[in-house]
Amino acid sequence: MQTRFPSSCDLVHTLSRARETVRLMRMTNPEQTSVLITGGNKGLGLEAARRLGEQGWTIFLGSRDEGRGRAAADKLTAGGANVVMVPLDVTSDESVTDAVRLVREHTDQLDVLINNAGAPGKGVAPADATVEEIHSVYDTNVYGPIRVTHAFLPLLQAAENPRVVMVSSGGGSFTVVTDPEQPFSKFHELAYSSSKAALNMITVRYAQALPKIKFNIATPGEIANRKFAATDMNNHTGALTVTEGTDSILRLAMIDADGPTGIFIDRLGPVAW
């Protein structure tokens, strides 16, 4: 089976149908859709959890900080969501193994994995960047998604329509970084942008090799308008709300069985590589 890379028109049509499709599926399927979100205790992860919880999904809320994770889970539960807090440090093999064990106590399949946990790095200029700085960012942004995806593959493969959403950045796009009109072209660092470019390639390779799982990439911004979402990672300087920032994540999480794989989108549509 060959990986399908749709046209822009196909993609827009598919995304516009996603919400209604999932709503109808839930009316006929008594089982709740399940999702694991890494870095789910704040920012984009927490907002995605809140919005998907409102859809009736079972939320496995991954959090490296157990105390903050439980506080976030309690808040979502108070709002009516079905939440299981999962202690999860994506940089630790042991933590990820324990997370799989915990999720298996609640379900024998996982419908959606959202690899959201990320590290911004310190914005070190290329001339001053060291391997230590690069490695610390890659450990979360690159090795983390690989570690988590690999560990949860059996649960994903047991689902009828499994989806994996990688949360990337416009900074991972060569088109964006080489465009002098884009703010990221003027942010001279090595760790973050290269880690997200690596994540993009990894996602495409997963999509090609595992066609029964939808592997797609979301950036929480508007590339055409040079806007990004306000989160802790950027000291809340973004022009978009955290809710707007999760629009692309939710669209990919809710793609149906006929939807695309191996694509890169923001909340407005396709993003150039």
Side-chain angles (χ1 to χ4, degrees):
M1 181 176 180
Q2 189 173 11
T3 303
R4 177 182 168 217
F5 294 92
S7 67
S8 296
C9 290
D10 287 340
L11 175 59
V12 171
H13 181 63
T14 297
L15 296 180
S16 68
R17 289 173 19 225
R19 294 179 188 275
E20 180 62 13
T21 299
V22 171
R23 186 184 70 81
L24 293 174
M25 287 174 62
R26 290 193 50 75
M27 290 174 63
T28 58
N29 185 357
E31 295 184 7
Q32 290 182 314
T33 303
S34 59
V35 57
L36 170 66
I37 305 174
T38 68
N41 64 285
K42 64 178 182 178
L44 297 168
L46 180 59
E47 180 63 4
R50 182 191 69 79
R51 296 179 69 183
L52 292 173
E54 288 182 347
Q55 296 281 341
W57 291 27
T58 296
I59 310 297
F60 292 102
L61 192 77
S63 176
R64 181 177 60 178
D65 186 306
E66 189 168 347
R68 292 179 181 178
R70 295 202 180 281
D74 288 345
K75 182 177 180 180
L76 293 173
T77 300
N82 181 21
V83 184
V84 177
M85 204 290 286
V86 180
L88 178 54
D89 178 355
V90 303
T91 68
S92 165
D93 289 334
E94 181 180 2
S95 178
V96 172
T97 298
D98 288 343
V100 172
R101 187 179 301 115
L102 177 57
V103 171
R104 281 192 177 277
E105 292 177 2
H106 296 270
T107 184
D108 59 0
Q109 65 181 45
L110 182 66
D111 297 295
V112 181
L113 167 62
I114 300 177
N115 281 307
N116 166 72
K122 300 176 181 178
V124 177
D128 300 319
T130 63
V131 169
E132 182 180 8
E133 156 71 3
I134 301 296
H135 184 272
S136 65
V137 175
Y138 272 53
D139 205 14
T140 299
N141 295 357
V142 180
Y143 311 142
I146 294 173
R147 185 177 285 114
V148 174
T149 300
H150 180 265
F152 280 92
L153 266 181
L155 284 171
L156 287 163
Q157 290 169 327
E160 184 176 348
N161 175 31
R163 289 89 78 193
V164 176
V165 181
M166 304 290 198
V167 179
S168 185
S169 166
S173 162
F174 284 87
T175 300
V176 170
V177 172
T178 57
D179 179 355
E181 298 300 317
Q182 289 285 349
F184 223 105
S185 70
K186 302 174 180 64
F187 181 36
H188 300 148
E189 55 79 56
L190 291 182
Y192 183 76
S193 55
S194 67
S195 73
K196 292 301 186 180
L199 180 63
N200 291 356
M201 177 61 78
I202 286 164
T203 307
V204 171
R205 299 304 275 169
Y206 273 133
Q208 292 172 332
L210 297 165
K212 292 184 179 180
I213 302 175
K214 301 291 187 294
F215 284 90
N216 291 306
I217 311 160
T219 178
E222 294 180 357
I223 300 301
N225 296 325
R226 300 186 287 277
K227 294 181 179 180
F228 51 93
T231 66
D232 286 354
M233 192 174 288
N234 54 50
N235 295 316
H236 299 276
T237 57
L240 301 177
T241 66
V242 70
T243 300
E244 291 171 325
T246 59
D247 282 349
S248 58
I249 299 171
L250 261 68
R251 286 171 186 162
L252 294 178
M254 298 169 73
I255 279 178
D256 62 28
D258 294 326
T261 189
I263 64 170
F264 185 16
I265 69 166
D266 64 10
R267 68 189 300 265
L268 301 179
V271 174
W273 300 101

